Amino acid sequence: MADQKMIRLKIRRQDGPDKAARWEEFEVPYRAKMNIISCLMDIQKNPVNAQGERTSPVVWECNCLEEVCGACTMNINGQSRQACSALVDQLEQPIVLEPLTKFPLVRDLMVDRQIMFDNLKKVRAWIPIDGTYNLGPGPRMAEVKRQWAYELSKCMTCGCCMEACPQVNSRSKFIGPAAISQVRLFNTHPTGEMNKHERLEALLDDGGITDCGNAQNCVRACPKGIPLTTGIADLNRETNKYALDRWLRK
Amino acid sequence: MSTRQSPYHFLIRRVHSLLGLLPIGVFLAFHMVLNLSARAGAETYNKVIETMRNFPGIFVIELIVIFIPIAFHAIYGSWVVYTGQSNVLRYRYARNWFYIIQRISGIYTVIFVVTHVYLLRFGEATFAALQHFVSNPAGLIFYALGVVLAIFHFANGLWAFAITWGLTIGPRSQQIWSYVCGGIFIVLSVVGLSDLTAFLK
Ligand code: SF4
Ligand code: SF4
Ligand code: FES
């Protein structure tokens, strides 16, 4: 048990939304192939900081542990990403963990990303098929289109794109690139297409597509490689056409 | 959702984008090229200015084609600047830098244009007046920066314009268009700065 390698972590902690933030350092014993979640679990088991003082366990969220749910998103060494797929071996130490800054803080590394789900509701990112009778099978989707749309469907509402976007902040109502990209997904679906206008309509609103400032950070921040800026430009074209058409028909 | 839409938001944004090119951007290019006449000397320059000033209905044309669009673009643009929150220190990408420089150049251009118009359009728009202003090093820097930043704002705005209007959609077309806009920036800056050198004496 001589020379147990230790992992050094520096965590930004806050006991609650109105409490003061502070930094706390930890050391956890190294094991092969550890990720950030396993480090946090070790701290949870033995909540003692690097100075040897007992402290409260660090709060974080996680769920799928395979980078598909987005729950564990946090800033790791200044970059927003998923803690479950952030491997200790690939990170510089001390590993700095901070909560996302664009969402209301709950505690420590846990934030409330509700706004992203509200934005999905705003743009009607679903396919309305409920009715009082059986609507029968929908139109078929071409295989090439399905494969293409699958890439857009990988969005896990993690918030990395929101974190990176300079237009998402407390002074702006911008819904952010994720919700915009979902409009593209649902407007591509042959059944979803039937309600295309409702989603485009939502994008015309305050905080909608026009509030993008073309900094193009989002597309680089997205862990799923979703073509967010291509989606924005594409929907710019669609919303322009839609708005002009609507106006000319008045 | 039954929430009411703000009916003019989209329109205002699109008008803001359109005005940047038409008429403001076109006017800027025209202005830079016309001022090359200064290189032919004080007399030619003063004559060109005189002709422009005596153009029938010039005041109405200026008001509709220049003042109102610029005022709208500037005022709404300032609001847009306010709603952004730069993060270049954390995300050091070229486009993110352009995002913030676009905003800084916009604000600078507003200050520059107000000064410029106050001094020259309502003041004495003679060769000598500008010559006097730029004979002071601070005045020269103020002017040179104004010219370059206004042109940057236009060229980079043109890049974003193509996205706003859904013309360049994929990354490749956006990249190629950025080279074209870069070329426009260089050409217009050369023209603009050589206009300015005509007043150095
Ligand atoms: S391109 Fe638009 S949505 Fe993406 S980061 Fe920039 S401002 Fe935000
Ligand atoms: S678009 Fe990408 S970065 Fe944004 S929420 Fe979806 S998966 Fe995350
Ligand atoms: S726990 Fe689901 S993405 Fe990390």
Side-chain angles (χ1 to χ4, degrees):
Chain A
M1 270 304 282
D3 306 330
Q4 162 73 55
K5 233 170 65 177
M6 297 300 256
I7 303 164
R8 282 177 304 129
L9 296 129
K10 198 175 159 199
I11 304 178
R12 192 177 163 86
R13 308 204 51 185
Q14 196 169 330
D15 292 340
D18 310 316
K19 302 284 164 55
R22 64 180 193 280
W23 287 100
E24 195 158 43
E25 292 183 36
F26 293 89
E27 283 188 357
V28 300
Y30 175 86
R31 277 170 285 131
K33 301 190 177 117
M34 277 179 101
N35 63 12
I36 296 300
I37 301 285
S38 55
C39 294
L40 290 169
M41 288 169 111
D42 277 358
I43 295 174
Q44 192 178 37
K45 275 184 250 164
N46 179 29
V48 173
N49 66 21
Q51 283 73 43
E53 299 153 1
R54 261 206 106 67
T55 179
S56 54
V58 177
V59 174
W60 83 94
E61 261 191 316
C62 67
N63 192 0
C64 70
L65 300 180
E66 52 175 353
E67 205 193 90
V68 293
C69 76
C72 66
T73 308
M74 59 184 72
N75 284 320
I76 301 172
N77 284 350
Q79 201 198 354
S80 54
R81 54 187 295 188
Q82 284 65 52
C84 63
S85 57
L87 303 177
V88 168
D89 289 335
Q90 293 165 5
L91 292 167
E92 210 174 288
Q93 293 188 27
I95 301 169
V96 180
L97 304 182
E98 292 162 279
L100 294 177
T101 60
K102 300 288 173 80
F103 304 97
L105 187 102
V106 178
R107 186 171 177 170
D108 293 339
L109 301 170
M110 184 178 173
V111 296
D112 181 0
R113 286 175 297 125
Q114 182 61 38
I115 184 80
M116 292 194 73
F117 302 98
D118 293 343
N119 290 341
L120 288 174
K121 285 189 204 162
K122 260 189 209 159
V123 300
R124 298 171 165 264
W126 66 81
I127 296 175
I129 48 165
D130 289 342
T132 50
Y133 59 95
N134 187 349
L135 297 172
R140 282 198 67 140
M141 191 170 191
E143 176 56 16
V144 274
K145 219 179 184 186
R146 185 200 63 77
Q147 280 178 10
W148 176 87
Y150 180 65
E151 296 304 316
L152 303 187
S153 75
K154 286 181 180 170
C155 175
M156 52 188 175
T157 328
C158 68
C160 286
C161 54
M162 304 280 276
E163 182 73 8
C165 178
Q167 291 293 103
V168 172
N169 61 66
S170 54
R171 293 188 298 275
S172 127
K173 293 185 190 159
F174 187 38
I175 59 171
I180 296 176
S181 175
Q182 290 304 295
V183 169
R184 201 173 178 222
L185 171 66
F186 286 99
N187 282 4
T188 300
H189 190 281
T191 309
E193 209 184 338
M194 297 171 185
N195 300 76
K196 204 173 166 177
H197 57 285
E198 292 175 0
R199 299 188 198 95
L200 293 177
E201 187 96 31
L203 287 186
L204 303 185
D205 207 356
D206 201 3
I209 193 163
T210 57
D211 292 14
C212 161
N214 295 307
Q216 304 205 331
N217 289 346
C218 52
V219 70
R220 292 169 183 260
C222 176
K224 294 291 157 188
I226 296 174
L228 294 169
T229 48
T230 305
I232 289 170
D234 187 23
L235 285 168
N236 267 328
R237 180 183 282 184
E238 295 301 315
T239 46
N240 288 338
K241 278 198 280 190
Y242 173 74
L244 186 66
D245 182 71
R246 187 182 65 169
W247 182 57
L248 292 175
R249 281 171 199 280
K250 264 190 184 158
Chain B
M1 294 239 147
S2 57
T3 46
R4 273 272 298 152
Q5 285 214 341
S6 49
Y8 298 116
H9 183 74
F10 188 78
L11 182 67
I12 292 171
R13 283 285 191 156
R14 288 301 187 245
V15 167
H16 177 251
S17 165
L18 188 63
L19 289 179
L21 174 63
L22 280 176
I24 304 172
V26 171
F27 167 72
L28 175 72
F30 174 76
H31 189 24
M32 292 298 102
V33 173
L34 187 75
N35 276 20
L36 282 175
S37 63
R39 296 190 62 84
E43 213 171 296
T44 324
Y45 179 75
N46 285 340
K47 212 153 62 200
V48 170
I49 297 295
E50 210 38 47
T51 321
M52 293 295 293
R53 282 201 155 178
N54 294 330
F55 202 79
I58 188 72
F59 187 71
V60 177
I61 296 176
E62 272 183 331
L63 190 71
I64 293 172
V65 180
I66 307 171
F67 283 140
I68 294 175
I70 290 184
F72 177 84
H73 193 85
I75 293 166
Y76 193 74
S78 305
W79 165 250
V80 172
V81 172
Y82 171 75
T83 62
Q85 187 184 60
S86 175
N87 52 15
V88 273
L89 297 180
R90 262 179 60 204
Y91 297 86
R92 300 163 190 256
Y93 307 129
R95 278 263 67 95
N96 201 23
W97 277 105
F98 282 11
Y99 167 89
I100 183 70
I101 301 171
Q102 182 70 358
R103 280 147 181 79
I104 293 170
S105 63
I107 298 292
Y108 189 90
T109 305
V110 174
I111 297 167
F112 173 70
V113 166
V114 169
T115 318
H116 175 64
V117 168
Y118 178 75
L119 280 176
L120 295 177
R121 184 62 186 87
F122 294 130
E124 210 193 345
T126 60
F127 192 90
L130 190 58
Q131 201 172 33
H132 177 72
F133 192 87
V134 299
S135 64
N136 177 344
L140 180 63
I141 292 170
F142 178 72
Y143 248 82
L145 265 182
V147 169
V148 172
L149 289 180
I151 292 169
F152 177 88
H153 192 82
F154 168 54
N156 192 46
L158 203 56
W159 177 78
F161 180 92
I163 294 175
T164 303
W165 293 91
L167 304 172
T168 53
I169 290 184
R172 195 178 144 74
S173 62
Q174 291 177 5
Q175 180 88 54
I176 292 174
W177 183 238
S178 76
Y179 297 146
V180 176
C181 293
I184 293 174
F185 170 69
I186 292 169
V187 170
L188 273 185
S189 296
V190 168
V191 174
L193 290 176
S194 57
D195 291 347
L196 202 54
T197 56
F199 297 94
L200 293 178
K201 179 71 193 105

Short mmCIF file of all heavy atoms in Angstrom, two decimals, chain B residues 3-46:
data_model
loop_
_atom_site.label_atom_id
_atom_site.label_comp_id
_atom_site.label_asym_id
_atom_site.label_seq_id
_atom_site.Cartn_x
_atom_site.Cartn_y
_atom_site.Cartn_z
N THR B 3 -49.36 31.24 -25.11
CA THR B 3 -48.76 32.56 -24.87
C THR B 3 -48.76 33.39 -26.14
O THR B 3 -48.49 32.89 -27.22
CB THR B 3 -47.31 32.43 -24.37
OG1 THR B 3 -46.66 31.48 -25.21
CG2 THR B 3 -47.25 31.97 -22.95
N ARG B 4 -49.05 34.64 -25.99
CA ARG B 4 -49.11 35.54 -27.14
C ARG B 4 -47.70 35.79 -27.67
O ARG B 4 -46.75 35.97 -26.93
CB ARG B 4 -49.72 36.89 -26.72
CG ARG B 4 -51.23 36.90 -26.81
CD ARG B 4 -51.73 37.31 -28.19
NE ARG B 4 -51.34 38.68 -28.56
CZ ARG B 4 -51.16 39.06 -29.81
NH1 ARG B 4 -51.28 38.19 -30.79
NH2 ARG B 4 -50.84 40.31 -30.09
N GLN B 5 -47.61 35.84 -28.98
CA GLN B 5 -46.31 36.15 -29.58
C GLN B 5 -46.12 37.65 -29.61
O GLN B 5 -47.08 38.39 -29.71
CB GLN B 5 -46.31 35.65 -31.01
CG GLN B 5 -46.16 34.17 -31.13
CD GLN B 5 -45.37 33.82 -32.37
OE1 GLN B 5 -45.24 34.62 -33.27
NE2 GLN B 5 -44.84 32.63 -32.40
N SER B 6 -44.85 38.06 -29.53
CA SER B 6 -44.62 39.49 -29.77
C SER B 6 -44.54 39.61 -31.29
O SER B 6 -43.63 39.08 -31.91
CB SER B 6 -43.34 39.95 -29.09
OG SER B 6 -42.29 39.07 -29.38
N PRO B 7 -45.52 40.26 -31.88
CA PRO B 7 -45.73 40.16 -33.32
C PRO B 7 -44.61 40.77 -34.17
O PRO B 7 -44.43 40.35 -35.30
CB PRO B 7 -47.06 40.88 -33.54
CG PRO B 7 -47.24 41.74 -32.34
CD PRO B 7 -46.52 41.10 -31.22
N TYR B 8 -43.89 41.72 -33.63
CA TYR B 8 -42.93 42.39 -34.50
C TYR B 8 -41.49 41.96 -34.30
O TYR B 8 -40.61 42.45 -34.99
CB TYR B 8 -43.05 43.92 -34.34
CG TYR B 8 -44.41 44.39 -34.76
CD1 TYR B 8 -45.27 44.97 -33.84
CD2 TYR B 8 -44.84 44.23 -36.08
CE1 TYR B 8 -46.54 45.38 -34.23
CE2 TYR B 8 -46.10 44.63 -36.47
CZ TYR B 8 -46.96 45.21 -35.54
OH TYR B 8 -48.19 45.59 -35.93
N HIS B 9 -41.25 41.08 -33.35
CA HIS B 9 -39.86 40.75 -33.05
C HIS B 9 -39.08 40.26 -34.27
O HIS B 9 -38.01 40.77 -34.59
CB HIS B 9 -39.79 39.69 -31.95
CG HIS B 9 -38.40 39.35 -31.52
ND1 HIS B 9 -37.65 40.20 -30.75
CD2 HIS B 9 -37.60 38.29 -31.80
CE1 HIS B 9 -36.45 39.67 -30.57
NE2 HIS B 9 -36.39 38.51 -31.20
N PHE B 10 -39.66 39.31 -34.96
CA PHE B 10 -39.00 38.73 -36.13
C PHE B 10 -38.77 39.81 -37.19
O PHE B 10 -37.68 39.94 -37.74
CB PHE B 10 -39.87 37.60 -36.69
CG PHE B 10 -39.21 36.80 -37.78
CD1 PHE B 10 -38.26 35.85 -37.47
CD2 PHE B 10 -39.55 37.01 -39.11
CE1 PHE B 10 -37.66 35.09 -38.47
CE2 PHE B 10 -38.95 36.26 -40.12
CZ PHE B 10 -38.00 35.29 -39.80
N LEU B 11 -39.82 40.60 -37.43
CA LEU B 11 -39.73 41.65 -38.45
C LEU B 11 -38.62 42.65 -38.11
O LEU B 11 -37.79 43.00 -38.95
CB LEU B 11 -41.08 42.36 -38.55
CG LEU B 11 -41.15 43.45 -39.62
CD1 LEU B 11 -41.05 42.83 -41.01
CD2 LEU B 11 -42.44 44.25 -39.49
N ILE B 12 -38.60 43.10 -36.85
CA ILE B 12 -37.60 44.09 -36.44
C ILE B 12 -36.18 43.55 -36.65
O ILE B 12 -35.31 44.21 -37.19
CB ILE B 12 -37.80 44.50 -34.96
CG1 ILE B 12 -39.10 45.27 -34.81
CG2 ILE B 12 -36.63 45.33 -34.45
CD1 ILE B 12 -39.51 45.54 -33.39
N ARG B 13 -35.99 42.30 -36.24
CA ARG B 13 -34.67 41.69 -36.39
C ARG B 13 -34.26 41.59 -37.86
O ARG B 13 -33.11 41.83 -38.21
CB ARG B 13 -34.68 40.28 -35.79
CG ARG B 13 -34.60 40.29 -34.29
CD ARG B 13 -33.18 40.60 -33.89
NE ARG B 13 -33.01 40.36 -32.47
CZ ARG B 13 -31.85 40.09 -31.91
NH1 ARG B 13 -30.75 40.03 -32.63
NH2 ARG B 13 -31.76 39.89 -30.63
N ARG B 14 -35.20 41.20 -38.68
CA ARG B 14 -34.87 41.03 -40.09
C ARG B 14 -34.64 42.39 -40.75
O ARG B 14 -33.75 42.53 -41.59
CB ARG B 14 -35.98 40.25 -40.82
CG ARG B 14 -36.02 38.77 -40.46
CD ARG B 14 -34.73 38.06 -40.76
NE ARG B 14 -34.81 36.61 -40.57
CZ ARG B 14 -34.14 35.92 -39.67
NH1 ARG B 14 -33.35 36.55 -38.81
NH2 ARG B 14 -34.25 34.62 -39.60
N VAL B 15 -35.42 43.38 -40.35
CA VAL B 15 -35.22 44.73 -40.90
C VAL B 15 -33.85 45.24 -40.48
O VAL B 15 -33.10 45.82 -41.27
CB VAL B 15 -36.35 45.69 -40.44
CG1 VAL B 15 -36.00 47.14 -40.73
CG2 VAL B 15 -37.65 45.32 -41.14
N HIS B 16 -33.50 44.99 -39.23
CA HIS B 16 -32.19 45.39 -38.71
C HIS B 16 -31.07 44.79 -39.56
O HIS B 16 -30.11 45.45 -39.93
CB HIS B 16 -32.08 44.93 -37.25
CG HIS B 16 -30.76 45.22 -36.61
ND1 HIS B 16 -29.86 44.23 -36.30
CD2 HIS B 16 -30.18 46.37 -36.23
CE1 HIS B 16 -28.79 44.77 -35.76
NE2 HIS B 16 -28.96 46.07 -35.70
N SER B 17 -31.23 43.52 -39.89
CA SER B 17 -30.22 42.84 -40.71
C SER B 17 -30.18 43.40 -42.12
O SER B 17 -29.11 43.70 -42.67
CB SER B 17 -30.55 41.34 -40.75
OG SER B 17 -29.83 40.69 -41.76
N LEU B 18 -31.35 43.60 -42.70
CA LEU B 18 -31.42 44.10 -44.07
C LEU B 18 -30.83 45.50 -44.20
O LEU B 18 -30.07 45.80 -45.12
CB LEU B 18 -32.88 44.09 -44.53
CG LEU B 18 -33.13 44.38 -46.01
CD1 LEU B 18 -32.47 43.31 -46.86
CD2 LEU B 18 -34.62 44.43 -46.31
N LEU B 19 -31.16 46.36 -43.24
CA LEU B 19 -30.67 47.74 -43.30
C LEU B 19 -29.15 47.81 -43.26
O LEU B 19 -28.55 48.70 -43.87
CB LEU B 19 -31.23 48.57 -42.13
CG LEU B 19 -32.71 48.91 -42.18
CD1 LEU B 19 -33.10 49.71 -40.94
CD2 LEU B 19 -33.06 49.70 -43.42
N GLY B 20 -28.55 46.84 -42.58
CA GLY B 20 -27.09 46.81 -42.50
C GLY B 20 -26.46 46.76 -43.88
O GLY B 20 -25.39 47.34 -44.11
N LEU B 21 -27.13 46.06 -44.80
CA LEU B 21 -26.59 45.99 -46.16
C LEU B 21 -27.20 47.08 -47.02
O LEU B 21 -26.48 47.84 -47.69
CB LEU B 21 -26.89 44.61 -46.77
CG LEU B 21 -26.50 44.45 -48.25
CD1 LEU B 21 -25.00 44.60 -48.44
CD2 LEU B 21 -26.97 43.10 -48.77
N LEU B 22 -28.53 47.14 -47.00
CA LEU B 22 -29.24 48.11 -47.80
C LEU B 22 -30.00 49.06 -46.91
O LEU B 22 -30.92 48.60 -46.25
CB LEU B 22 -30.26 47.39 -48.70
CG LEU B 22 -29.74 46.73 -49.97
CD1 LEU B 22 -30.87 45.98 -50.67
CD2 LEU B 22 -29.11 47.73 -50.90
N PRO B 23 -29.72 50.27 -46.87
CA PRO B 23 -28.75 51.01 -47.66
C PRO B 23 -27.39 51.20 -46.99
O PRO B 23 -26.46 51.63 -47.65
CB PRO B 23 -29.43 52.37 -47.78
CG PRO B 23 -30.15 52.52 -46.49
CD PRO B 23 -30.58 51.16 -46.07
N ILE B 24 -27.26 50.86 -45.69
CA ILE B 24 -26.07 51.33 -44.97
C ILE B 24 -24.76 50.82 -45.56
O ILE B 24 -23.84 51.58 -45.82
CB ILE B 24 -26.15 50.98 -43.45
CG1 ILE B 24 -27.44 51.55 -42.86
CG2 ILE B 24 -24.95 51.55 -42.71
CD1 ILE B 24 -27.73 51.11 -41.45
N GLY B 25 -24.67 49.51 -45.79
CA GLY B 25 -23.43 48.94 -46.31
C GLY B 25 -23.08 49.50 -47.68
O GLY B 25 -21.92 49.84 -47.96
N VAL B 26 -24.09 49.60 -48.52
CA VAL B 26 -23.87 50.13 -49.86
C VAL B 26 -23.43 51.59 -49.78
O VAL B 26 -22.51 52.03 -50.49
CB VAL B 26 -25.16 49.97 -50.71
CG1 VAL B 26 -25.03 50.70 -52.04
CG2 VAL B 26 -25.45 48.49 -50.93
N PHE B 27 -24.07 52.32 -48.89
CA PHE B 27 -23.68 53.72 -48.69
C PHE B 27 -22.22 53.83 -48.24
O PHE B 27 -21.46 54.66 -48.73
CB PHE B 27 -24.61 54.40 -47.67
CG PHE B 27 -24.08 55.72 -47.19
CD1 PHE B 27 -24.07 56.83 -48.03
CD2 PHE B 27 -23.55 55.85 -45.91
CE1 PHE B 27 -23.56 58.06 -47.60
CE2 PHE B 27 -23.04 57.06 -45.48
CZ PHE B 27 -23.03 58.17 -46.33
N LEU B 28 -21.85 52.96 -47.32
CA LEU B 28 -20.47 52.98 -46.81
C LEU B 28 -19.47 52.77 -47.96
O LEU B 28 -18.50 53.52 -48.09
CB LEU B 28 -20.30 51.88 -45.75
CG LEU B 28 -18.87 51.68 -45.19
CD1 LEU B 28 -18.48 52.83 -44.28
CD2 LEU B 28 -18.76 50.36 -44.43
N ALA B 29 -19.74 51.76 -48.79
CA ALA B 29 -18.84 51.48 -49.91
C ALA B 29 -18.78 52.67 -50.87
O ALA B 29 -17.69 53.09 -51.30
CB ALA B 29 -19.31 50.23 -50.63
N PHE B 30 -19.93 53.24 -51.15
CA PHE B 30 -20.03 54.40 -52.03
C PHE B 30 -19.24 55.58 -51.47
O PHE B 30 -18.48 56.25 -52.16
CB PHE B 30 -21.52 54.74 -52.18
CG PHE B 30 -21.80 56.00 -52.95
CD1 PHE B 30 -21.69 56.03 -54.33
CD2 PHE B 30 -22.21 57.16 -52.28
CE1 PHE B 30 -21.96 57.19 -55.05
CE2 PHE B 30 -22.48 58.32 -52.98
CZ PHE B 30 -22.36 58.34 -54.37
N HIS B 31 -19.42 55.80 -50.19
CA HIS B 31 -18.76 56.89 -49.48
C HIS B 31 -17.24 56.73 -49.55
O HIS B 31 -16.51 57.69 -49.82
CB HIS B 31 -19.24 56.84 -48.03
CG HIS B 31 -18.83 58.00 -47.19
ND1 HIS B 31 -18.51 59.23 -47.70
CD2 HIS B 31 -18.70 58.12 -45.84
CE1 HIS B 31 -18.20 60.04 -46.72
NE2 HIS B 31 -18.29 59.40 -45.57
N MET B 32 -16.77 55.51 -49.32
CA MET B 32 -15.32 55.26 -49.35
C MET B 32 -14.76 55.53 -50.74
O MET B 32 -13.70 56.14 -50.90
CB MET B 32 -15.03 53.81 -48.93
CG MET B 32 -15.32 53.47 -47.48
SD MET B 32 -14.35 54.40 -46.31
CE MET B 32 -15.51 55.62 -45.77
N VAL B 33 -15.47 55.06 -51.75
CA VAL B 33 -14.98 55.22 -53.12
C VAL B 33 -15.04 56.70 -53.54
O VAL B 33 -14.09 57.24 -54.10
CB VAL B 33 -15.78 54.32 -54.10
CG1 VAL B 33 -15.40 54.62 -55.54
CG2 VAL B 33 -15.52 52.86 -53.77
N LEU B 34 -16.14 57.37 -53.20
CA LEU B 34 -16.29 58.78 -53.58
C LEU B 34 -15.18 59.63 -52.97
O LEU B 34 -14.66 60.56 -53.60
CB LEU B 34 -17.65 59.29 -53.11
CG LEU B 34 -18.02 60.70 -53.59
CD1 LEU B 34 -18.40 60.67 -55.06
CD2 LEU B 34 -19.15 61.28 -52.77
N ASN B 35 -14.79 59.28 -51.75
CA ASN B 35 -13.77 60.07 -51.06
C ASN B 35 -12.37 59.93 -51.68
O ASN B 35 -11.46 60.68 -51.32
CB ASN B 35 -13.71 59.70 -49.58
CG ASN B 35 -14.76 60.47 -48.80
OD1 ASN B 35 -15.71 60.96 -49.37
ND2 ASN B 35 -14.56 60.60 -47.51
N LEU B 36 -12.23 58.97 -52.59
CA LEU B 36 -10.95 58.87 -53.28
C LEU B 36 -10.65 60.19 -54.01
O LEU B 36 -9.50 60.50 -54.30
CB LEU B 36 -10.94 57.71 -54.27
CG LEU B 36 -10.76 56.31 -53.65
CD1 LEU B 36 -10.89 55.25 -54.73
CD2 LEU B 36 -9.41 56.19 -52.96
N SER B 37 -11.71 60.94 -54.28
CA SER B 37 -11.54 62.23 -54.95
C SER B 37 -10.63 63.16 -54.14
O SER B 37 -10.01 64.07 -54.68
CB SER B 37 -12.88 62.89 -55.19
OG SER B 37 -13.49 63.16 -53.96
N ALA B 38 -10.57 62.90 -52.82
CA ALA B 38 -9.70 63.73 -51.97
C ALA B 38 -8.24 63.59 -52.38
O ALA B 38 -7.43 64.50 -52.17
CB ALA B 38 -9.87 63.34 -50.51
N ARG B 39 -7.93 62.44 -52.95
CA ARG B 39 -6.54 62.22 -53.35
C ARG B 39 -6.14 63.11 -54.52
O ARG B 39 -4.95 63.32 -54.78
CB ARG B 39 -6.30 60.75 -53.69
CG ARG B 39 -6.50 59.84 -52.48
CD ARG B 39 -6.04 58.45 -52.77
NE ARG B 39 -4.61 58.40 -53.07
CZ ARG B 39 -3.65 58.34 -52.16
NH1 ARG B 39 -3.96 58.34 -50.88
NH2 ARG B 39 -2.40 58.28 -52.51
N ALA B 40 -7.15 63.63 -55.22
CA ALA B 40 -6.86 64.54 -56.34
C ALA B 40 -6.65 65.97 -55.85
O ALA B 40 -6.49 66.88 -56.65
CB ALA B 40 -7.98 64.47 -57.35
N GLY B 41 -6.69 66.16 -54.56
CA GLY B 41 -6.40 67.50 -54.03
C GLY B 41 -7.63 68.18 -53.47
O GLY B 41 -8.77 67.74 -53.68
N ALA B 42 -7.38 69.26 -52.74
CA ALA B 42 -8.42 69.98 -52.03
C ALA B 42 -9.50 70.51 -52.95
O ALA B 42 -10.69 70.46 -52.65
CB ALA B 42 -7.80 71.12 -51.22
N GLU B 43 -9.08 70.99 -54.10
CA GLU B 43 -10.04 71.65 -54.97
C GLU B 43 -11.09 70.69 -55.50
O GLU B 43 -12.29 70.95 -55.44
CB GLU B 43 -9.27 72.28 -56.13
CG GLU B 43 -9.92 73.56 -56.62
CD GLU B 43 -8.99 74.24 -57.61
OE1 GLU B 43 -7.88 74.65 -57.20
OE2 GLU B 43 -9.37 74.31 -58.78
N THR B 44 -10.59 69.55 -56.04
CA THR B 44 -11.51 68.54 -56.58
C THR B 44 -12.45 68.06 -55.49
O THR B 44 -13.66 67.94 -55.70
CB THR B 44 -10.71 67.32 -57.11
OG1 THR B 44 -9.50 67.80 -57.68
CG2 THR B 44 -11.51 66.53 -58.10
N TYR B 45 -11.88 67.81 -54.32
CA TYR B 45 -12.66 67.29 -53.21
C TYR B 45 -13.78 68.26 -52.84
O TYR B 45 -14.94 67.89 -52.74
CB TYR B 45 -11.76 67.02 -52.01
CG TYR B 45 -12.50 66.51 -50.80
CD1 TYR B 45 -12.95 65.20 -50.75
CD2 TYR B 45 -12.75 67.35 -49.71
CE1 TYR B 45 -13.65 64.73 -49.65
CE2 TYR B 45 -13.45 66.88 -48.61
CZ TYR B 45 -13.88 65.58 -48.59
OH TYR B 45 -14.57 65.11 -47.50
N ASN B 46 -13.41 69.51 -52.66
CA ASN B 46 -14.40 70.50 -52.28
C ASN B 46 -15.50 70.62 -53.34
O ASN B 46 -16.66 70.85 -53.02
CB ASN B 46 -13.75 71.87 -52.04
CG ASN B 46 -13.00 71.87 -50.70
OD1 ASN B 46 -13.27 71.04 -49.83
ND2 ASN B 46 -12.05 72.79 -50.56
#
